[in-house]
Amino acid sequence: MADSTRRNPNPDDLQLVADTDTVHHQSIQQKRRKSKPKQMEELNLASMLDVCFQLLIFFVLTASFAKGEGYLPADLPAGSGSAAKEDTVPKQPLHIRIRSLGGTEYAISAGSSAPANFKELYSFLHDNQDNEAGPGIYPPDNPIIIHAENDIVWGHVINAYNAAVRARYENVNFAMPGK
Amino acid sequence: MASSKKPNKSKIELNVTSLLDVVFQLIIFFLLVTNFSSAELPEMVVPQPVEPQSRELRDEKRVVVNVIADMEHLKSKKERANPDLVLSAKAVRVGNDNILPHEYNRLTELLEAEKEKNPDIYINLRADARIKYQEVGPVIKAITMAKVVRVNMISELPK
């Protein structure tokens, strides 16, 4: 009975097979190949990830984001082999004195003025220099001498120097500490 | 009849490839931005002037003279970073050479030797902003004695 069905297939069934567009006949080899899942070669990255995490933790802990450093150029006296003496500077220098008020507190005096901070010191230096308003008391090459007391911190000395350079003075000198 | 076959054990695995990619990116980032402290540039608080006029550092023909603050009594990193401290100088470091305050004549000799090798040399004076001026003054004097004319004072760059 079954044999007769195979020999005389129903034309409606054949039409159905054609519509599905699939292969209905497979060899035994093909069937075996299909039944076995493909083995993909894989690298075990777990231990590598461990090492990478160790490195990452190290860098996160040790990273220090440094602040950018720059320089303020200065020329020291040459030739004599010793620090500048007071009698080598011209007659009318502008003296900036920084006194210690204990700790990091300070008081500034510049000529007859007493600026409260380094911002005001800059304003004083700028206003008394040749500027847009006209010629000032101190020309750009007028010597400026920074006197700092022994206990004044280096940061304040540099701040005073920076204020003078910012006001476009070209001849800025440091007196030895305490002088 | 119960089946004698065991159910197919499927191994669950996490795909770590993309995670590894991200970790590598992070490592490269930190590797590039990390500032490894060197003997030439020890960690310190450099001066932060108002509206700094500082210029970008150049590398050629220079000797870095570091005036290192004495911070042995300060234990935590937070204490050591306090900007309101007034500190003393512990030593002057030039390269790997530590020079104590009472032997600044050795600093002069060292700089003279450097100047002999390269007459156009200049010095980057890098002092902790919190050191007393009376302790930086002798270093400037020692540099002057070595007849090195050009000295750059290190401070923070403008923001």
Side-chain angles (χ1 to χ4, degrees):
Chain A
M1 183 74 188
D3 239 4
S4 69
T5 317
R6 211 177 289 159
R7 272 178 205 156
N8 304 307
N10 186 351
D12 289 345
D13 288 347
L14 282 174
Q15 186 58 43
L16 270 172
V17 168
D19 288 346
T20 53
D21 206 21
T22 48
V23 180
H24 288 267
H25 174 75
Q26 284 177 330
S27 68
I28 298 165
Q29 276 183 336
Q30 273 175 323
K31 275 180 186 169
R32 271 186 196 159
R33 228 179 279 154
K34 211 174 183 184
S35 62
K36 268 190 183 174
K38 260 192 182 175
Q39 283 266 321
M40 240 179 92
E41 295 291 328
E42 273 188 11
L43 255 166
N44 187 4
L45 297 172
S47 48
M48 188 167 180
L49 194 70
D50 288 348
V51 175
C52 285
F53 267 123
Q54 295 284 346
L55 283 170
L56 188 64
I57 290 162
F58 168 76
F59 283 117
V60 169
L61 293 179
T62 59
S64 62
F65 298 94
K67 287 175 183 169
E69 289 181 11
Y71 70 91
L72 292 163
D75 289 333
L76 293 183
S80 64
S82 61
K85 288 173 188 166
E86 213 142 308
D87 58 0
T88 58
V89 295
K91 291 280 183 319
Q92 292 296 321
L94 170 62
H95 296 274
I96 298 173
R97 294 180 196 280
I98 315 170
R99 284 184 299 112
S100 172
L101 301 177
T104 53
E105 297 296 308
Y106 59 88
I108 313 169
S109 67
S112 55
S113 171
N117 52 40
F118 293 104
K119 212 171 175 180
E120 282 186 21
L121 174 66
Y122 161 73
S123 302
F124 168 79
L125 293 172
H126 178 260
D127 294 346
N128 287 288
Q129 228 236 62
D130 300 344
N131 54 35
E132 313 83 47
I137 305 167
Y138 305 109
D141 60 347
N142 194 86
I144 307 261
I145 304 175
I146 299 168
H147 303 262
E149 277 187 357
N150 286 340
D151 292 341
I152 284 293
V153 293
W154 176 243
H156 293 338
V157 179
I158 289 293
N159 233 322
Y161 180 74
N162 183 69
V165 172
R166 195 178 154 209
R168 290 181 289 112
Y169 285 91
E170 295 155 6
N171 189 358
V172 188
N173 305 271
F174 293 102
M176 284 313 285
K179 288 193 176 171
Chain B
M1 191 181 123
S3 169
S4 61
K5 267 189 185 175
K6 281 182 184 172
N8 206 5
K9 257 193 185 174
S10 59
K11 211 176 157 190
I12 296 169
E13 276 188 9
L14 212 78
N15 187 2
V16 290
T17 321
S18 46
L19 185 62
L20 199 68
D21 287 347
V22 175
V23 172
F24 265 129
Q25 295 283 346
L26 285 169
I27 287 176
I28 290 164
F29 168 75
F30 280 108
L31 203 66
L32 293 178
V33 300
T34 300
N35 177 39
F36 292 102
S37 62
S38 63
E40 198 182 41
L41 298 171
E43 221 175 291
M44 65 170 73
V45 177
V46 295
Q48 303 164 3
V50 182
E51 300 275 337
Q53 303 297 298
S54 7
R55 305 171 189 177
E56 291 273 355
L57 288 169
R58 291 166 295 165
D59 267 349
E60 77 278 26
K61 294 181 195 167
R62 57 102 176 88
V63 175
V64 185
V65 175
N66 295 286
V67 188
I68 301 167
D70 185 5
M71 290 193 280
E72 273 169 16
H73 59 289
L74 305 169
K75 277 163 194 150
S76 72
K77 204 174 176 180
K78 200 177 167 187
E79 272 181 299
R80 287 197 291 270
N82 183 0
D84 298 325
L85 295 172
V86 179
L87 302 168
S88 302
K90 186 171 99 181
V92 168
R93 187 184 291 174
V94 183
N96 284 324
D97 209 347
N98 269 342
I99 301 164
L100 297 174
H102 62 271
E103 39 180 40
Y104 283 158
N105 54 337
R106 202 154 70 77
L107 173 65
T108 306
E109 285 166 18
L110 201 146
L111 295 177
E112 275 171 345
E114 289 288 339
K115 198 174 181 243
E116 216 162 272
K117 274 190 261 172
N118 189 349
D120 300 329
I121 206 152
Y122 61 87
I123 286 169
N124 283 353
L125 178 60
R126 198 166 169 266
D128 196 301
R130 303 161 299 175
I131 295 179
K132 292 175 199 165
Y133 182 49
Q134 65 174 345
E135 310 215 3
V136 183
V139 179
I140 298 176
K141 195 174 176 182
I143 296 167
T144 316
M145 300 285 270
K147 295 179 185 170
V148 179
V149 176
R150 193 64 191 259
V151 176
N152 297 324
M153 279 161 289
I154 302 297
S155 70
E156 261 188 29
L157 274 174
K159 277 163 193 152

